[in-house]
Amino acid sequence: MGFEGLLGNERVKENLRRSLAKGHASHFYLISGPAGSGKRTLARLLSAALMCDHPGSPCLGCNPCRKVMENIHPDCITVTDPEHKNVAVKIVRQIRDDMFIRPNEGNKKIYIFPQELGVEGQNALLKILEEPPSYGVFLLLTENPQQLLPTIHSRCVHLALQPLTEDVLRRELEKRMPQAETEAISAAILRSGGFLGQALQLLTDEDSNLPQTQAFLQAFAQRDHLLLAQTLVPMEKWKRDQLIPALHQWRIGLQSALQCRSGMVASSQLAAEIAARRSSSELNQAIANLQKALDYAQSNVSPAAICGWLQWTLR
């Protein structure tokens, strides 16, 4: 099995296999790439490889591998701070102290940071990176490696994830989402930049649209003021936390139509219809109005007032 669970990125995987087979494991790996590029997948596979009973790459069959992949290994710890955008420095200091407690059952003690570290957190981490215990390993995941301190970069093995080829991405999307239309898959591939996670999210968002989104987009495409009113009037009684996701979906739908007008593959038949019937200036204005409506909703303006305003401004 090995690292095959991570699609593409053959050079990264081969370099890891060679270094691990020789026993050259680093104390610090920096895994970088955009959202949906496979950072978490690689972190989990690399952790399994470091714990595996067989050197070189994870067998995924031994007890340590299975525990790591099931996220139940006591010596493979994921560090998160859901209350903050970046991991708080106090949590990094706690991890720094915990590192000196020897592993429970593995030959390594691994800390995975899927969340970004601020400057203070990076400086706190540096103190342990300078002289880590022999069993200690840190895996730092980031979308912005250029924002990390030079002293962090100088101590890490940098694993930069690359986009997948169109053929690889299309095969995987067709396997995972057999219900998706060919045109929708093509549009997701184009908009994802070659990253599987982003393409899957685009296709999932399309499938999970609210019924009101379909009605709104049809009304906008056909300039049907009655259908627009029939969609918006019942929504006047909604709560703000119901209205915001709907407005967000409507804006994305119109943005897809605008991208279609610029020459990109249509994400759906409805996006293509809107692009054919509405001008770029009309789409830009409607998108701006929906953004305004979102701003109003997040500023405690009532849903009734927002829906009434949209009926007037989107006519």
Short mmCIF file of all heavy atoms in Angstrom, two decimals, residues 183-194 202 254-268 271-273 275-276:
data_model
loop_
_atom_site.label_atom_id
_atom_site.label_comp_id
_atom_site.label_asym_id
_atom_site.label_seq_id
_atom_site.Cartn_x
_atom_site.Cartn_y
_atom_site.Cartn_z
N GLU A 183 -20.08 17.40 -17.57
CA GLU A 183 -19.83 18.85 -17.64
C GLU A 183 -19.51 19.41 -16.26
O GLU A 183 -18.64 20.29 -16.12
CB GLU A 183 -21.06 19.58 -18.22
CG GLU A 183 -21.38 19.24 -19.66
CD GLU A 183 -22.13 17.93 -19.81
OE1 GLU A 183 -22.49 17.29 -18.77
OE2 GLU A 183 -22.35 17.52 -20.97
N ALA A 184 -20.18 18.91 -15.24
CA ALA A 184 -19.93 19.39 -13.88
C ALA A 184 -18.53 18.99 -13.42
O ALA A 184 -17.83 19.78 -12.77
CB ALA A 184 -20.98 18.85 -12.92
N ILE A 185 -18.11 17.78 -13.75
CA ILE A 185 -16.76 17.33 -13.40
C ILE A 185 -15.72 18.17 -14.11
O ILE A 185 -14.72 18.59 -13.51
CB ILE A 185 -16.59 15.83 -13.72
CG1 ILE A 185 -17.40 14.99 -12.72
CG2 ILE A 185 -15.12 15.42 -13.69
CD1 ILE A 185 -17.36 13.50 -12.98
N SER A 186 -15.93 18.44 -15.40
CA SER A 186 -14.98 19.26 -16.16
C SER A 186 -14.87 20.65 -15.55
O SER A 186 -13.76 21.20 -15.42
CB SER A 186 -15.43 19.36 -17.62
OG SER A 186 -15.39 18.11 -18.25
N ALA A 187 -16.01 21.22 -15.16
CA ALA A 187 -15.98 22.55 -14.54
C ALA A 187 -15.27 22.53 -13.19
O ALA A 187 -14.49 23.43 -12.87
CB ALA A 187 -17.41 23.06 -14.37
N ALA A 188 -15.50 21.47 -12.41
CA ALA A 188 -14.84 21.36 -11.10
C ALA A 188 -13.33 21.21 -11.26
O ALA A 188 -12.55 21.81 -10.51
CB ALA A 188 -15.41 20.17 -10.33
N ILE A 189 -12.90 20.45 -12.25
CA ILE A 189 -11.47 20.28 -12.51
C ILE A 189 -10.84 21.62 -12.85
O ILE A 189 -9.77 21.98 -12.33
CB ILE A 189 -11.24 19.27 -13.65
CG1 ILE A 189 -11.60 17.85 -13.19
CG2 ILE A 189 -9.80 19.32 -14.16
CD1 ILE A 189 -11.62 16.82 -14.30
N LEU A 190 -11.50 22.39 -13.71
CA LEU A 190 -10.97 23.68 -14.14
C LEU A 190 -10.87 24.65 -12.97
O LEU A 190 -9.89 25.37 -12.82
CB LEU A 190 -11.86 24.25 -15.24
CG LEU A 190 -11.36 25.49 -15.97
CD1 LEU A 190 -10.03 25.21 -16.67
CD2 LEU A 190 -12.39 25.97 -16.98
N ARG A 191 -11.88 24.66 -12.12
CA ARG A 191 -11.92 25.63 -11.03
C ARG A 191 -11.09 25.21 -9.82
O ARG A 191 -10.76 26.04 -8.97
CB ARG A 191 -13.37 25.85 -10.59
CG ARG A 191 -14.20 26.63 -11.61
CD ARG A 191 -15.69 26.60 -11.27
NE ARG A 191 -16.43 27.54 -12.08
CZ ARG A 191 -16.81 27.30 -13.33
NH1 ARG A 191 -16.53 26.14 -13.91
NH2 ARG A 191 -17.49 28.21 -14.01
N SER A 192 -10.74 23.93 -9.73
CA SER A 192 -10.04 23.42 -8.55
C SER A 192 -8.54 23.68 -8.58
O SER A 192 -7.86 23.51 -7.56
CB SER A 192 -10.26 21.92 -8.42
OG SER A 192 -9.56 21.22 -9.45
N GLY A 193 -8.01 24.04 -9.72
CA GLY A 193 -6.57 24.23 -9.85
C GLY A 193 -5.79 22.93 -9.80
O GLY A 193 -4.57 22.93 -9.64
N GLY A 194 -6.49 21.79 -9.95
CA GLY A 194 -5.82 20.50 -9.95
C GLY A 194 -5.77 19.81 -8.60
O GLY A 194 -5.09 18.80 -8.45
N LEU A 202 -16.42 21.49 -4.69
CA LEU A 202 -17.23 22.17 -5.71
C LEU A 202 -18.40 21.29 -6.14
O LEU A 202 -19.53 21.77 -6.28
CB LEU A 202 -16.36 22.53 -6.91
CG LEU A 202 -15.37 23.68 -6.71
CD1 LEU A 202 -14.33 23.69 -7.82
CD2 LEU A 202 -16.10 25.02 -6.66
N LEU A 254 -24.36 32.76 -9.33
CA LEU A 254 -24.18 33.85 -10.29
C LEU A 254 -22.71 34.03 -10.65
O LEU A 254 -22.38 34.37 -11.80
CB LEU A 254 -24.75 35.16 -9.72
CG LEU A 254 -26.27 35.17 -9.48
CD1 LEU A 254 -26.74 36.58 -9.14
CD2 LEU A 254 -27.04 34.65 -10.69
N GLN A 255 -21.82 33.78 -9.70
CA GLN A 255 -20.38 33.85 -10.02
C GLN A 255 -20.00 32.77 -11.03
O GLN A 255 -19.19 33.02 -11.93
CB GLN A 255 -19.56 33.70 -8.74
CG GLN A 255 -19.58 34.93 -7.85
CD GLN A 255 -18.92 34.71 -6.50
OE1 GLN A 255 -18.85 33.57 -6.01
NE2 GLN A 255 -18.45 35.77 -5.88
N SER A 256 -20.60 31.59 -10.91
CA SER A 256 -20.35 30.52 -11.88
C SER A 256 -20.83 30.92 -13.27
O SER A 256 -20.16 30.64 -14.27
CB SER A 256 -21.04 29.22 -11.44
OG SER A 256 -20.50 28.75 -10.23
N ALA A 257 -21.98 31.59 -13.33
CA ALA A 257 -22.49 32.06 -14.62
C ALA A 257 -21.57 33.12 -15.22
O ALA A 257 -21.32 33.13 -16.43
CB ALA A 257 -23.91 32.62 -14.44
N LEU A 258 -21.05 34.01 -14.36
CA LEU A 258 -20.14 35.04 -14.84
C LEU A 258 -18.85 34.42 -15.37
O LEU A 258 -18.31 34.84 -16.41
CB LEU A 258 -19.83 36.02 -13.70
CG LEU A 258 -18.99 37.25 -14.06
CD1 LEU A 258 -19.67 38.11 -15.11
CD2 LEU A 258 -18.72 38.09 -12.80
N GLN A 259 -18.34 33.40 -14.67
CA GLN A 259 -17.15 32.70 -15.15
C GLN A 259 -17.42 32.03 -16.49
O GLN A 259 -16.55 31.98 -17.37
CB GLN A 259 -16.71 31.66 -14.11
CG GLN A 259 -16.13 32.28 -12.85
CD GLN A 259 -15.93 31.26 -11.74
OE1 GLN A 259 -16.58 30.23 -11.70
NE2 GLN A 259 -15.01 31.55 -10.82
N CYS A 260 -18.64 31.51 -16.66
CA CYS A 260 -19.02 30.89 -17.91
C CYS A 260 -19.00 31.91 -19.05
O CYS A 260 -18.55 31.62 -20.16
CB CYS A 260 -20.40 30.26 -17.77
SG CYS A 260 -20.98 29.37 -19.22
N ARG A 261 -19.46 33.12 -18.77
CA ARG A 261 -19.44 34.16 -19.80
C ARG A 261 -18.01 34.54 -20.20
O ARG A 261 -17.78 35.00 -21.32
CB ARG A 261 -20.16 35.42 -19.29
CG ARG A 261 -21.68 35.33 -19.33
CD ARG A 261 -22.32 36.70 -19.16
NE ARG A 261 -21.95 37.61 -20.24
CZ ARG A 261 -22.57 37.70 -21.40
NH1 ARG A 261 -23.59 36.90 -21.66
NH2 ARG A 261 -22.18 38.56 -22.30
N SER A 262 -17.07 34.33 -19.30
CA SER A 262 -15.68 34.67 -19.61
C SER A 262 -14.96 33.55 -20.35
O SER A 262 -13.77 33.67 -20.66
CB SER A 262 -14.92 35.00 -18.32
OG SER A 262 -14.76 33.84 -17.53
N GLY A 263 -15.66 32.44 -20.61
CA GLY A 263 -15.08 31.38 -21.42
C GLY A 263 -14.81 30.09 -20.67
O GLY A 263 -14.40 29.10 -21.29
N MET A 264 -15.04 30.06 -19.34
CA MET A 264 -14.82 28.83 -18.58
C MET A 264 -15.97 27.86 -18.81
O MET A 264 -17.07 28.25 -19.21
CB MET A 264 -14.70 29.15 -17.09
CG MET A 264 -13.47 29.97 -16.73
SD MET A 264 -13.32 30.31 -14.96
CE MET A 264 -12.87 28.69 -14.35
N VAL A 265 -15.70 26.57 -18.58
CA VAL A 265 -16.73 25.54 -18.73
C VAL A 265 -17.83 25.78 -17.70
O VAL A 265 -17.55 26.06 -16.54
CB VAL A 265 -16.13 24.14 -18.53
CG1 VAL A 265 -17.20 23.06 -18.64
CG2 VAL A 265 -15.03 23.89 -19.55
N ALA A 266 -19.09 25.67 -18.13
CA ALA A 266 -20.22 25.90 -17.22
C ALA A 266 -20.24 24.83 -16.14
O ALA A 266 -20.06 23.64 -16.42
CB ALA A 266 -21.52 25.88 -18.00
N SER A 267 -20.47 25.23 -14.90
CA SER A 267 -20.53 24.28 -13.79
C SER A 267 -21.85 23.52 -13.78
O SER A 267 -21.96 22.48 -13.14
CB SER A 267 -20.35 25.01 -12.46
OG SER A 267 -21.38 25.97 -12.29
N SER A 268 -22.87 24.03 -14.48
CA SER A 268 -24.17 23.36 -14.55
C SER A 268 -24.93 23.91 -15.74
O SER A 268 -24.57 24.95 -16.32
CB SER A 268 -24.98 23.60 -13.27
OG SER A 268 -25.32 24.97 -13.15
N ALA A 271 -26.22 27.38 -14.92
CA ALA A 271 -25.21 28.43 -15.02
C ALA A 271 -25.03 28.84 -16.47
O ALA A 271 -24.89 30.04 -16.79
CB ALA A 271 -23.88 27.94 -14.44
N ALA A 272 -25.04 27.86 -17.39
CA ALA A 272 -24.92 28.16 -18.82
C ALA A 272 -26.12 28.97 -19.30
O ALA A 272 -25.98 29.90 -20.11
CB ALA A 272 -24.79 26.87 -19.61
N GLU A 273 -27.31 28.63 -18.79
CA GLU A 273 -28.53 29.36 -19.20
C GLU A 273 -28.48 30.81 -18.71
O GLU A 273 -28.82 31.73 -19.46
CB GLU A 273 -29.76 28.66 -18.63
CG GLU A 273 -31.07 29.32 -19.03
CD GLU A 273 -32.28 28.65 -18.41
OE1 GLU A 273 -32.13 27.55 -17.84
OE2 GLU A 273 -33.39 29.25 -18.49
N ALA A 275 -25.78 32.54 -18.07
CA ALA A 275 -24.73 33.22 -18.85
C ALA A 275 -25.23 33.62 -20.23
O ALA A 275 -24.84 34.66 -20.75
CB ALA A 275 -23.51 32.30 -18.97
N ALA A 276 -26.11 32.80 -20.82
CA ALA A 276 -26.63 33.10 -22.15
C ALA A 276 -27.68 34.21 -22.13
O ALA A 276 -27.81 34.97 -23.10
CB ALA A 276 -27.23 31.83 -22.76
#
